[in-house]
Amino acid sequence: NLTTRYIGYHTHPSGSLKFSNQFNSHTGGPGDAGWVATSNKSLYVGVQIGGNVSIGVCDPGNCPQFGRLGTSPSRVLK
């Protein structure tokens, strides 16, 4: 669980550059997108894809909840 006092980040060892929208006990809502909406802070995720690391950002107001399939980042840093 992430506190809403700080900007959050997490990593995935592999997979797609998506934010999870599964139930999150801290926000009581839709996972990563719910945390962003509750905290009004950006959330970062790092994923290893094909030997490279990609970093995506889910920004408040630009991180829609698309259900269990995940949410694409509102911007990609790398």
Side-chain angles (χ1 to χ4, degrees), residues 8-9 13-16 19 22-23 26 28 32 34 37 46-47 49 60 62 64 70 74:
Y9 74 93
S14 62
S16 62
F19 288 89
Q22 296 176 353
F23 182 79
H26 179 74
D32 295 340
V47 180
I49 301 173
N62 292 311
S74 49

Side-chain angles (χ1 to χ4, degrees), residues 4-43:
T4 55
R5 295 183 309 186
Y6 305 103
I7 292 173
Y9 74 93
H10 61 276
T11 60
H12 295 188
S14 62
S16 62
L17 192 59
K18 296 276 187 181
F19 288 89
S20 169
N21 288 319
Q22 296 176 353
F23 182 79
N24 179 306
S25 61
H26 179 74
T27 62
D32 295 340
W35 184 90
V36 170
T38 300
S39 69
N40 200 34
K41 293 178 174 63
S42 297
L43 182 63

Side-chain angles (χ1 to χ4, degrees), residues 50-63:
N52 296 310
V53 174
S54 293
I55 300 171
V57 185
C58 190
D59 290 314
N62 292 311
C63 190

